[in-house]
Structures are given as structure tokens and as C-alpha cells.
């Protein structure tokens, strides 16, 4: 789904080109540096000698050449001493010896003319140029290291934001390019309306969204959605990744955020898209030892900027993440990313639509049935489908076929599944069947019992949060109170998943933990907080909410006996057992409906409220029997 638009060179490309040319300076610097090091090695000073010994050797003609420097005498012996690495030697000039009047005469007498000279000190080359070259070499080496480690990219353009800007006149991506995400598109239309006519919203004085968080697995098309919003609204699109902000040097990321918003303000109305928000938006202080000052500062700056800009100016920030639970709580507070849109995995119909979009650019065989290909690819996300189409086209090309046919798609599916990223894309058939029965069980029980929240959607495509399947309820907005019947029936629908598994497979799975936890919690509160147990009476057995600072308010001082505590446990148990029996009876009676809902789920991955109603209508039941 993530089709790359033909993009114009980004505005700061000149900077980056410069930075990438500077990189070549590193190579000569390193070469010069190493040459210098070698030169030093070869100029090894050799053996240290005392002045007296030097004079003796001079007289004995054992010295070939000498250089008299201001602080030392360096020279070479006529013969390399046995076992030494070099014939060189040096003598420190200290004290009286410095001004030995004999020295010049001795040298003249014992060494060939021209083989001794006086040095006045290091040459200009040595004292000025060499340190500079050395420094340059070190910086060059450092630069290369940074480039290698992927740390600082264009370290020259430190605070320059590295976002890409998409201008109006590019090929616009619109909602037509987005397939299989109908719900997310519907929610984003409002954002488009605002970007198109900010004045209208301003005049009405309504609260305008500042930030929208797209939550979904990698490859589900979050970036594409954001581009489509910009494309539909015809506004510039600033795009960058959260990881671009996090740098090696404290303060750089924060400066980038400022620069980004400053630029955006000059182009409003416009849209800022931050991919991988979790890279910079992780809960503050969650870094390891030493902390993450840089990231925290960057995050703070982002919060400041989001609070600072007036929503009426027409800037909207859309961010994407696949781990919303790791985000700092401050990011999702009102006035920031207060709107979350879930971008789910596409279901059968969604996958077919996505395949249609990608097939626009590929020559397909006439006999091809995209629905059938969609059916083979349960669990694939948009990006997977894009690479499937690509693989199939490559395979056809390799075989010299003019058109892509079904065989290539089948082969392509396997390639994508076995692809480089080891992401769980497909679920074993037997597990998928179990998940389908489980969710069908929840849905059927919920729809069969009066008063419970209506089922909005059931899916056996896992969510990013780790759930393998889910039944989504649409709570009635205006409900503030829950009756005893509602609570009991809700327990039943929570148990419905496991009991459906038990009914069909004669065995249950460990996937029910969270269902069971919620059911138990409701039952316990019915007994201890709501006074709904006939045996324990209309009494509150609450332990929470009392202050530990008030004497007698501590949680250890029970206000009821051990006997009562046991009765509470038994009563909770009785409520759950009762609900379980009722649920089992119900599912047995409506087994035909259970089977059909499961069949729909197995075929299409999801079922919505209308389709569910249609199935139930085919299998009527007097719903008040339970
Ligand atoms: C396991 N996962 O722990 C495997 C890996 C029973 C068909 N053995 O009850 O997905 O069991 O109706 C939100 C809510 C993870 C997030 C529930 C993340 C449960 C969910 C554990 C379906 N749907 N269980 C369910 C499920 C599991 C889990 C969740 C979550 C399954 C069940 C997960
Ligand atoms: Zn469940």
C-alpha cells in the first residue's frame, strides 16, 4: 500500500549534498594521518645516550651524523648496535653541557663535513601544519565513525530539520489510493474538511483537532493515509520520522522540532506527519541508566510546540505508532494527540480492494480472480500485498510470460510469508478455527441476551496489541448505570468465547485469561460493592478507597470475618458457575448460528453488525429463554 510518490528533491537537499561531499574529505585526512604516523615511527629517536658517552663515541669515530637541536642532539651511529632496532640515538642537552665550547670543534674534527648541522627548532611545517593535519585526520576519522554508526547523519546541518516536504503540485495521493481502510478514512474526512476550510471551522468556534494518532501494525498504510489527507485537502505535507529527532547531541532534536514547526507555520494550512512517534514519545524517564535527556528534551519541545500553536492556524499533526501503550501519557492528553484512529489489518474485502489498487500497474491475466488471492492471504497487511503483487510480476517476467497469472500469485504468497522479516502473518489453520469459534461464541451470546451492549464488529485478524481476535462492542453512549441483568449477561458473553471452544473441541485454550479476569472482576464487584448477592445481602465489602492515613482505614483491618471472606469467594464462584451453565445451554441451543458465524469469520476474517444480524435472522431463537 505504501506506494512511493514521485517526489521532488526535498528543500534541504542542497545541504545534504554538501554534507555528503564533505564526507570525502575524511579519506585524504585519514591517509595523511596514517602517513604522518608512519613517518613518526620511522623517525624513531633510538637509544638514549648520556653526553659523556656521546663525546667518547664521537672521538672514537663511532658516529656518522649529528643534528644539534635546541633541546637534544640526535644522530646516527656508524654501526647499528647488536640487537638494536636502529642505529639512531639521542642525547638530552641539559645543564652545563648545553654550552660546551668543545663541541663544535670535536664535531668538525670527527665527522665528515656536512654530516652535522645545527637545528634552530621545529620548522614551521612541523609546528603549525602537522598538528593541523593531525587534527583534521582525527576529525575525519571521527566523522567516518559517526557515519558508520548511523548516529549523526548530516552533522553539518545539525539543527536543520530533515523532513521531506511534499508540495501541492505533486501527483496527489487521495483517498482513492487508500483501500481496505474504510473506517480510518471515514474518520479522517473530518480532518480534511478542516484543512480545506479552516475559516469555516474558525467561524463556528468549534474545537479543532490538533493531533491525530494513527495506531496500527507496520505496513497497514498509516503513512499512505496521512499523505492522502494532505492530498485530499491540497495542503503541503511535512513528513518525518520520530527517529530523525533523536540524535547524539542533547538539544539537537529539540531544535529540529522548533525548526519544523516554524517552517510549517509559514505554509499553513498544512499537515505535519511524524512516523514512528514512539521513537521520541516513549514515556519520559523510561530510559536506562544515565537517562535519555536528548529524547526527553525533544519530547518536551514537541509538547510545547503542540500547545503553542493556535489550532486555528490550520496546522494538523498526524502521528503514527504501532505501540501506543508505550507513549508518554502527556502526548495523548486533550489538545495533543487526543484522537486515536486504529488502522486494522484488512479483511477479505479490504485485501481484494488493496490488490485492485496495486494491480492497476501490472498486466494481469484475464482469468485472474483477486478475491481468490485475497482469500489466500488472511493476515497480510497492505505492504505485504504490495510485495506480493511485485513478487508475482517478477516471477512472470522471469518465466517470460506476458501477463501475471494465478500460479505466480500462489508462488508469491509463499515468498512473502517466508520473506526477510519474520513477522507473524499467517496463523495455523486449526488455531484460526479456534479463534473463529471463540469470537463467534462471544458475539452470539452477546446478541442473544437482552440488554447487553450491541456487537459492533467481530474479527479474527489480531490487533497490534497481541490479541488474536476480538469482539468489539458499541457501548451505548448514554448509559451510565448498569443493571444486574446487564452485568450478569455481560459475564455470560465474556465466558461465551471459552465455552464455544469447549463445546466444539471438547477442550479449552489458555487464550481466555483476560476474558476470565474481566468476568471475575464483574462478579466480585457485584457481590462486594453493589450488594447484588442474595446470600451476602445488600452490604458493601469494599476495601479500596479508604485512606491509609486515617486510623482504622488501613487495608489490613478487615471489617468482616474470615467466614464472610469465604462466603464472598463462594458467591463469586456461584455467580460465574451460574453464568457458565446459562451460556453453555444457550450455545448448545444456537449451535447452528454459532457454526454459521464461524464460517463467515473463516471466510472473510470479519463480520459487522449487519451481517451478524442477517445470520441470526436465519437462525431465529426465542432470546428471552435464558
Ligand atoms: C496466549 N495469546 O497467551 C496467546 C499467545 C483466545 C482466541 N496463549 O479473548 O487473543 O491468548 O475475545 C486485549 C484483550 C493478548 C489484548 C485481550 C492481548 C488477550 C482475546 C492474550 C482470543 N478475544 N488472547 C479474546 C486472545 C492469547 C491477549 C489482549 C488480549 C483468543 C484472546 C491472547
Ligand atoms: Zn475472548
Amino acid at each position: 500500500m505504501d506506494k512511493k510518490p514521485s517526489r521532488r528533491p526535498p528543500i534541504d537537499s542542497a545541504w545534504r549534498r554538501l554534507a555528503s561531499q564533505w564526507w570525502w574529505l575524511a579519506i585524504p585526512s585519514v591517509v595523511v594521518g596514517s602517513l604522518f604516523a608512519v613517518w613518526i615511527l620511522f623517525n624513531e629517536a633510538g637509544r638514549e645516550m648520556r653526553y659523556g658517552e656521546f663525546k667518547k663515541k664521537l672521538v672514537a669515530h663511532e658516529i656518522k651524523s649529528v643534528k644539534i637541536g635546541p633541546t637534544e642532539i640526535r644522530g646516527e651511529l656508524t654501526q647499528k648496535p647488536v640487537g638494536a632496532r636502529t642505529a639512531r640515538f639521542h642525547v638530552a642537552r641539559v645543564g652545563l653541557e648545553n654550552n660546551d665550547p668543545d663541541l663544535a670543534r670535536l664535531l668538525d674534527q670527527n665527522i665528515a663535513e656536512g654530516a652535522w648541522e645545527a637545528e634552530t627548532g621545529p620548522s614551521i611545517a612541523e609546528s603549525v601544519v602537522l598538528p593541523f593535519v593531525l587534527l583534521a585526520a582525527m576529525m575525519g576519522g571521527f566523522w567516518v565513525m559517526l557515519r558508520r554508526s548511523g548516529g549523526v547523519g548530516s552533522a553539518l546541518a545539525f539543527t536543520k530539520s530533515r523532513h521531506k516536504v511534499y508540495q501541492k503540485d505533486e501527483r496527489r495521493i487521495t483517498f482513492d489510493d487508500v483501500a481496505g481502510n474504510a473506517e480510518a478514512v471515514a474518520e479522517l474526512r473530518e480532518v480534511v474538511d478542516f484543512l480545506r476550510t479552516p475559516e469555516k471551522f474558525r467561524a463556528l468556534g468549534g474545537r479543532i483537532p490538533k493531533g491525530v494518532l494513527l495506531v496500527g501494525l507496520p505496513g497497514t498504510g498509516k503513512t499512505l493515509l496521512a499523505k492522502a489527507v494532505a492530498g485530499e485537502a491540497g495542503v503541503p505535507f511535512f513528513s518525518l520520522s520520530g527517529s530523525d529527532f533523536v540524535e547524539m547531541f542533547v538539544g539537537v532534536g529539540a531544535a529540529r522540532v522548533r525548526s519544523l514547526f516554524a517552517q510549517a507555520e509559514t505554509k499553513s494550512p498544512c499537515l505535519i506527519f511524524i512516523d514512528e512517534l514512539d521513537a521520541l514519545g516513549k514515556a519520559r524517564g523510561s530510559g536506562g541508566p544515565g537517562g535519555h535527556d536528548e529524547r526527553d528534551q525533544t519530547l518536551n519541545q514537541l509538547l510545547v510546540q503542540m500547545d503553542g500553536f493556535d489550532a486555528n492556524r490550520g496546522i494538523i499533526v498526524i502521528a503514527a505508532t504501532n505501540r501506543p501503550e508505550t507513549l508518554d501519557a502527556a502526548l495523548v492528553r486533550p489538545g495533543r494527540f487526543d484522537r486515536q484512529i486504529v488502522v486494522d489489518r484488512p479483511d477479505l474485502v479490504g485485501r481484494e480492494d488493496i490488490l485492485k489498487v496495486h494491480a492497476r500497474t501490472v498486466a494481469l491475466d484475464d482469468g485472474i480472480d483477486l478475491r481468490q488471492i485475497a482469500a489466500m492471504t488472511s493476515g497480510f497487511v497492505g505492504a505485504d500485498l504490495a510485495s506480493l503483487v511485485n513478487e508475482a510480476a517478477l516471477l512472470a517476467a522471469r518465466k517470460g510470460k506476458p501477463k501475471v497469472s494465478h500460479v505466480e500469485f500462489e508462488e508469491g504468497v509463499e515468498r512473502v510469508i517466508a520473506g526477510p522479516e519474520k513477522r507473524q502473518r499467517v496463523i495455523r489453520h486449526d488455531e484460526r478455527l479456534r479463534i473463529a469459534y471463540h469470537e463467534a461464541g462471544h458475539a452470539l451470546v452477546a446478541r442473544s441476551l437482552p440488554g447487553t451492549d450491541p456487537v459492533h464488529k467481530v474479527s479474527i485478524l489480531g490487533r497490534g496489541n497481541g490479541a488474536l481476535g476480538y469482539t468489539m462492542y458499541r457501548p451505548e453512549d448514554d448509559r451510565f448505570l448498569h443493571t444486574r441483568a446487564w452485568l450478569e449477561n455481560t459475564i455470560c458473553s465474556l465466558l461465551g468465547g471459552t465455552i464455544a471452544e469447549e463445546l466444539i473441541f471438547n477442550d479449552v485454550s489458555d487464550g481466555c485469561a483476560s476474558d476470565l479476569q474481566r468476568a471475575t472482576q464483574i462478579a466480585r464487584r457485584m457481590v462486594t460493592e453493589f450488594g447484588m448477592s442474595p446470600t451476602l445481602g445488600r452490604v458493601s465489602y469494599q476495601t479500596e478507597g479508604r485512606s491509609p492515613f486515617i486510623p482504622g482505614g488501613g487495608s489490613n483491618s478487615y471489617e468482616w470475618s474470615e467466614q464472610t471472606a469465604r462466603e464472598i469467594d463462594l458467591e463469586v464462584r456461584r455467580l460465574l458457575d451460574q453464568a457458565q451453565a446459562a451460556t453453555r445451554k444457550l450455545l448448545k441451543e444456537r449451535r447452528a448460528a454459532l457454526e454459521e458465524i464461524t464460517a463467515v469469520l473463516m471466510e472473510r476474517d470479519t463480520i459487522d453488525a449487519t451481517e451478524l444480524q442477517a445470520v441470526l435472522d436465519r437462525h431465529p431463537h426465542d432470546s428471552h429463554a435464558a
Side-chain angles (χ1 to χ4, degrees):
M1 262 175 107
D2 272 300
K3 289 215 303 188
K4 292 266 183 307
S6 54
R7 53 173 75 120
R8 236 196 200 189
I11 271 178
D12 58 347
S13 72
W15 264 101
R16 286 213 236 153
R17 211 172 310 131
L18 189 67
S20 59
Q21 282 166 358
W22 269 71
W23 187 85
W24 294 100
L25 265 189
I27 290 178
S29 312
V30 167
V31 169
V32 169
S34 359
L35 281 179
F36 186 64
V38 168
W39 180 74
I40 286 183
L41 260 166
F42 275 85
N43 261 303
E44 219 177 359
R47 192 165 79 87
E48 165 110 44
M49 209 182 273
R50 289 170 150 283
Y51 189 69
E53 193 187 349
F54 164 68
K55 261 172 106 170
K56 270 185 208 148
K57 285 210 171 5
L58 196 60
V59 176
H61 297 282
E62 281 175 41
I63 286 169
K64 196 165 106 193
S65 64
V66 167
K67 271 184 186 168
I68 313 289
T71 56
E72 66 173 5
I73 298 167
R74 280 180 288 133
E76 211 173 324
L77 300 170
T78 43
Q79 253 182 337
K80 197 170 82 165
V82 187
R85 277 210 292 162
T86 162
R88 273 187 267 272
F89 67 91
H90 61 109
V91 182
R93 294 184 66 182
V94 282
L96 292 173
E97 296 161 353
N98 269 347
N99 299 311
D100 184 352
D102 280 351
L103 186 57
R105 186 181 51 80
L106 281 174
L107 286 167
D108 277 340
Q109 285 173 0
N110 296 297
I111 294 185
E113 194 160 348
W116 80 271
E117 54 181 296
E119 265 179 359
T120 48
S123 65
I124 291 184
E126 275 171 342
S127 60
V128 180
V129 180
L130 278 177
F132 179 78
V133 168
L134 205 65
L135 198 72
M138 278 169 64
M139 282 174 67
F142 190 54
W143 180 280
V144 169
M145 267 170 54
L146 285 178
R147 297 288 301 206
R148 283 270 170 83
S149 69
V152 177
S154 51
L156 284 176
F158 272 138
T159 59
K160 191 96 176 118
S161 210
R162 296 156 82 205
H163 53 261
K164 300 186 186 91
V165 186
Y166 296 86
Q167 296 289 358
K168 288 184 190 178
D169 45 304
E170 266 178 60
R171 190 193 94 71
R172 270 161 47 173
I173 292 182
T174 65
F175 286 143
D176 292 337
D177 300 298
V178 182
N181 260 326
E183 287 175 42
V185 167
E187 293 202 53
L188 285 169
R189 283 200 190 276
E190 191 187 338
V191 175
V192 172
D193 283 345
F194 165 66
L195 285 169
R196 267 195 195 141
T197 51
E199 319 81 37
K200 197 179 86 189
F201 278 74
R202 219 171 292 156
L204 290 171
R207 206 173 77 77
I208 287 139
K210 275 187 181 178
V212 177
L213 193 62
L214 297 176
V215 179
L217 290 171
T220 42
K222 300 182 288 290
T223 309
L224 185 74
L225 273 166
K227 281 182 190 162
V229 169
E232 287 277 330
V235 299
F237 176 73
F238 292 78
S239 152
L240 80 176
S241 168
S243 53
D244 287 345
F245 284 117
V246 182
E247 290 289 358
M248 200 168 213
F249 304 107
V250 175
V252 172
R256 286 215 176 119
V257 172
R258 269 194 303 275
S259 129
L260 171 68
F261 277 84
Q263 275 208 44
E265 217 152 321
T266 64
K267 297 236 172 182
S268 73
C270 69
L271 191 145
I272 297 175
F273 177 63
I274 304 175
D275 204 356
E276 295 178 60
L277 182 66
D278 35 301
L280 77 87
K282 272 207 201 95
R284 275 166 292 185
S286 66
H292 270 284
D293 284 348
E294 157 64 358
R295 211 186 52 205
D296 292 357
Q297 277 200 19
T298 311
L299 175 56
N300 285 339
Q301 187 57 234
L302 179 67
L303 294 175
V304 166
Q305 291 293 336
M306 287 198 72
D307 290 342
F309 75 73
D310 181 1
N312 292 322
R313 304 201 59 159
I315 301 176
I316 284 191
V317 188
I318 295 187
T321 179
N322 51 356
R323 279 168 299 177
E325 68 283 352
T326 65
L327 292 181
D328 196 286
L331 269 174
V332 290
R333 271 209 274 277
R336 283 131 182 203
F337 295 102
D338 48 1
R339 224 176 264 202
Q340 292 204 12
I341 297 181
V342 176
V343 188
D344 265 326
R345 279 188 166 119
D347 62 6
L348 180 80
V349 181
R351 289 194 302 273
E352 189 185 349
D353 292 343
I354 293 170
L355 283 169
K356 275 184 200 153
V357 168
H358 291 300
R360 292 200 293 227
T361 52
V362 178
L364 290 187
D365 198 86
D366 291 336
I368 221 154
D369 181 5
L370 291 179
R371 169 62 67 104
Q372 217 178 327
I373 295 159
M376 299 189 293
T377 50
S378 174
F380 275 36
V381 294
D384 298 332
L385 293 167
S387 44
L388 169 61
V389 173
N390 192 44
E391 286 286 350
L394 286 176
L395 282 167
R398 203 169 302 155
K399 292 180 195 162
K401 287 189 178 179
K403 293 197 167 174
V404 189
S405 64
H406 201 84
V407 202
E408 283 84 48
F409 274 100
E410 263 170 28
E411 240 179 286
V413 168
E414 274 163 36
R415 288 191 181 215
V416 174
I417 289 171
E421 305 136 83
K422 290 216 170 65
R423 226 191 299 144
Q424 181 86 34
R425 289 192 183 84
V426 280
I427 295 211
R428 289 165 51 136
H429 178 81
D430 58 334
E431 294 205 330
R432 198 163 166 261
L433 191 64
R434 185 181 283 276
I435 299 169
Y437 273 113
H438 179 104
E439 301 308 334
H442 283 307
L444 180 57
V445 174
R447 289 292 280 103
S448 301
L449 298 175
T452 51
D453 288 338
V455 175
H456 174 58
K457 187 182 171 185
V458 184
S459 167
I460 60 165
L461 295 167
R463 279 239 153 131
N465 61 7
L468 302 165
Y470 59 90
T471 300
M472 222 158 90
Y473 303 90
R474 191 174 25 209
E476 289 162 53
D477 290 336
D478 51 355
R479 189 189 287 284
F480 295 107
L481 293 171
H482 302 101
T483 61
R484 183 197 172 111
W486 187 96
L487 293 165
E488 281 176 351
N489 291 343
T490 300
I491 293 178
C492 289
S493 61
L494 283 167
L495 296 175
T498 305
I499 296 183
E501 287 184 51
E502 182 201 74
L503 194 66
I504 302 294
F505 302 106
N506 272 321
D507 199 2
V508 292
S509 70
D510 63 355
C512 62
S514 76
D515 290 341
L516 201 54
Q517 195 181 12
R518 281 174 58 202
T520 310
Q521 196 182 345
I522 294 176
R524 183 164 282 276
R525 293 186 68 189
M526 284 175 70
V527 176
T528 61
E529 291 178 40
F530 313 146
M532 287 179 183
S533 155
T535 4
L536 283 149
R538 211 144 269 154
V539 177
S540 172
Y541 300 96
Q542 237 179 314
T543 49
E544 276 149 47
R546 286 183 299 165
S547 168
F549 302 109
I550 295 165
S555 53
N556 285 341
S557 58
Y558 291 107
E559 284 167 10
W560 54 89
S561 63
E562 294 277 327
Q563 172 73 29
T564 307
R566 178 156 172 75
E567 271 179 52
I568 291 172
D569 294 338
L570 288 174
E571 192 58 11
V572 170
R573 171 80 192 272
R574 195 186 61 78
L575 274 175
L576 288 170
D577 283 350
Q578 214 175 32
Q580 199 186 164
T583 308
R584 189 174 291 119
K585 177 167 172 286
L586 179 92
L587 285 176
K588 272 185 184 157
E589 282 167 9
R590 303 203 75 177
R591 184 160 174 159
L594 181 72
E595 299 281 3
E596 196 175 331
I597 298 168
T598 306
V600 173
L601 284 173
M602 286 301 280
E603 193 203 322
R604 310 162 71 99
D605 306 302
T606 57
I607 184 167
D608 65 22
T610 343
E611 292 166 319
L612 185 61
Q613 187 57 50
V615 174
L616 294 175
D617 287 345
R618 282 197 285 279
H619 303 275
H621 180 254
D622 55 327
S623 64
H624 298 274

